[in-house]
Amino acid sequence: MISLPVLLQNSLIRLISSLLLLNLPVKVIKMVNHCLFAVILLMEMIVSGMRFGADALRMDYYIMACPFAEGIVKNTVNNALETDATLAAALVRMHFHDCFVEGCDASILIDSTRDNTAEKDSPANLSLRGYEIIDDAKEQLENQCPGIVSCADIVAMAARDAVFFAGGPVYDIPKGRKDGRRSKIEDTINLPPPTLNSSELVMRFGQHGFSAQEMVALSELFPYAGAHTLGVARCSSFKNRLSNFDSTNDMDPTLETTFAKTLSETCRAGDNAEQVFDSTRNTFDNDYYNALQRKAGVLTSDQTLYASMKTRGIVNAYAMNQARFFFDFQQTMVKMSRLGVKEGSKGEIRENCRKTN
């Protein structure tokens, strides 16, 4: 096939020949010549951009190949959440756990085999839920446009749609991620544990390119719990705060006394007993930050954000202004969705999200 710039060059030669026959001034011919060469250069740049940027993330990545992709994912998520609203937190948390280990490549979805223990069987991931929602969306998409939509994009879109369903901000994410081929339990060491203090969290998130403010905005998604403005934490992730906390304190001194009794009561039912993060469990809002101001953060990694002067101002700002929190959250989620993205031959489009092709 003849490229567009070549066609323009041929047209230029014909046009110049015609102008010479008209005996126009040389200055006019040169001016036309320069303009047409500029057009050719511009078209070459555009064509090159289309050619070399084919695998780059784009908002409209599926507009031609699978135009109903986003609608299918959104409807699947909404139908599931109408049945069980607690799955909103699960989907948002799944996206975080995926991106912070090997990048946003759906490695969290791969099942373990006899020869490999996958990420999802790590202690940090055992409480993850919502895999069946991703499976459902993937099956529909494979029927509609086989081999086009990646599992990694489905996870990212599902998290976005879950946030909106729960009352959170509207935001869009670029698409075009490929699915990874690696999923190993040892890689989950990159997930921040619930016992980290503020300085450790700032350092851990900084390794992924996030500022302290972005870390506080994403604190809603820390592991070993749900998305913290949604969902619950299990006793096993906070019982260390209730007794034998350190060499000086039996109980975590940053924990409000009455709330400590509430947590102790929860843990009487065992390590799997669940405690909500705030009073609006299934609503995406800023109440989580208000709880931190009352010293009612459930996890160490929650309350440390208010206890530390490095991050207290950010917590106060989000507690006071939900719109600011929403804006920062959506910006940071888009940034997180770009972590370690696989493109081109570095990834694949899985036929089944639970195993590599």
Side-chain angles (χ1 to χ4, degrees):
M1 179 182 292
I2 300 176
S3 69
L4 186 56
V6 170
L7 291 174
L8 284 172
Q9 290 172 15
N10 293 336
S11 298
L12 173 62
I13 293 171
R14 289 195 298 271
L15 178 58
I16 292 175
S17 299
S18 300
L19 291 174
L20 289 172
L21 292 174
L22 293 174
N23 293 319
L24 292 174
V26 175
K27 184 180 294 186
V28 173
I29 296 175
K30 284 184 177 181
M31 183 177 66
V32 173
N33 193 7
H34 290 159
C35 290
L36 286 173
F37 271 116
V39 171
I40 291 172
L41 180 61
L42 177 62
M43 293 306 300
E44 181 64 45
M45 292 171 62
I46 293 173
V47 172
S48 296
M50 292 172 64
R51 182 168 62 245
F52 294 114
D55 290 318
L57 298 185
R58 302 196 311 272
M59 294 295 184
D60 63 347
Y61 190 85
Y62 295 114
I63 191 66
M64 298 299 293
C66 193
F68 301 111
E70 300 211 40
I72 289 173
V73 174
K74 185 174 183 178
N75 288 338
T76 303
V77 169
N78 287 350
N79 289 338
L81 298 188
E82 285 172 0
T83 301
D84 183 0
T86 67
L87 285 170
L91 291 173
V92 179
R93 182 185 170 212
M94 181 188 293
H95 184 36
F96 176 86
H97 282 231
D98 182 39
C99 292
F100 261 59
V101 180
E102 289 294 301
C104 305
D105 64 351
S107 55
I108 188 63
L109 304 179
I110 295 177
D111 287 338
S112 294
T113 63
R114 184 190 311 173
D115 302 321
N116 179 64
T117 304
E119 292 173 27
K120 65 168 52 175
D121 288 319
S122 164
N125 292 330
L126 291 178
S127 59
L128 286 180
R129 300 185 300 138
Y131 295 113
E132 68 283 354
I133 300 174
I134 308 301
D135 291 338
D136 186 4
K138 178 62 172 176
E139 183 178 357
Q140 295 180 58
L141 289 166
E142 285 298 304
N143 290 333
Q144 186 79 26
C145 35
I148 299 297
V149 183
S150 68
C151 301
D153 274 348
I154 296 173
V155 171
M157 288 188 284
R160 175 201 62 191
D161 296 338
V163 168
F164 180 65
F165 182 93
V170 178
Y171 66 94
D172 199 6
I173 52 168
K175 274 74 67 177
R177 298 162 191 79
K178 295 292 178 65
D179 299 322
R181 301 184 178 95
R182 173 189 174 95
S183 182
K184 294 184 176 295
I185 188 172
E186 56 264 31
D187 294 337
T188 60
I189 193 172
N190 293 318
L191 291 169
T195 55
L196 295 184
N197 60 38
S198 179
S199 297
E200 292 167 330
L201 286 168
V202 169
M203 181 181 70
R204 185 68 69 91
F205 275 73
Q207 293 171 348
H208 291 280
F210 293 102
S211 67
Q213 180 169 317
E214 290 170 330
M215 181 273 291
V216 175
L218 284 181
S219 64
E220 305 279 353
L221 314 180
F222 288 172
Y224 299 92
H228 293 196
T229 186
L230 303 164
V232 297
R234 293 184 177 183
C235 173
S236 58
S237 63
F238 60 78
K239 67 179 182 180
N240 67 299
R241 306 181 68 196
L242 304 177
S243 62
N244 300 316
F245 181 69
D246 58 29
S247 58
T248 306
N249 303 281
D250 184 48
M251 186 182 75
D252 185 345
T254 66
L255 194 56
E256 194 274 326
T257 305
T258 302
F259 187 63
K261 292 179 181 178
T262 299
L263 295 183
S264 296
E265 185 65 28
T266 297
C267 284
R268 288 183 180 179
D271 282 357
N272 289 327
E274 297 177 340
Q275 173 66 41
V276 297
F277 283 101
D278 57 45
S279 59
T280 56
R281 172 178 178 175
N282 295 323
T283 302
F284 193 98
D285 55 24
N286 67 336
D287 195 49
Y288 163 76
Y289 299 102
N290 291 310
L292 300 186
Q293 290 180 319
R294 300 191 303 270
K295 296 184 178 181
V298 177
L299 305 179
T300 300
S301 57
D302 292 326
Q303 197 58 52
T304 186
L305 301 178
Y306 188 74
S308 171
M309 295 307 297
K310 294 180 181 178
T311 50
R312 179 179 294 183
I314 306 170
V315 171
N316 287 335
Y318 289 163
M320 183 185 307
N321 189 335
Q322 179 168 279
R324 178 177 176 181
F325 162 55
F326 276 15
F327 179 80
D328 288 350
F329 178 82
Q330 64 188 27
Q331 296 291 314
T332 310
M333 282 292 284
V334 173
K335 180 176 179 176
M336 186 186 78
S337 76
R338 293 178 176 271
L339 286 180
V341 167
K342 310 293 189 299
E343 295 179 354
S345 61
K346 294 181 180 179
E348 63 183 17
I349 304 296
R350 286 184 216 143
E351 183 178 349
N352 181 336
C353 289
R354 293 176 179 262
K355 60 182 181 180
T356 58
N357 291 342

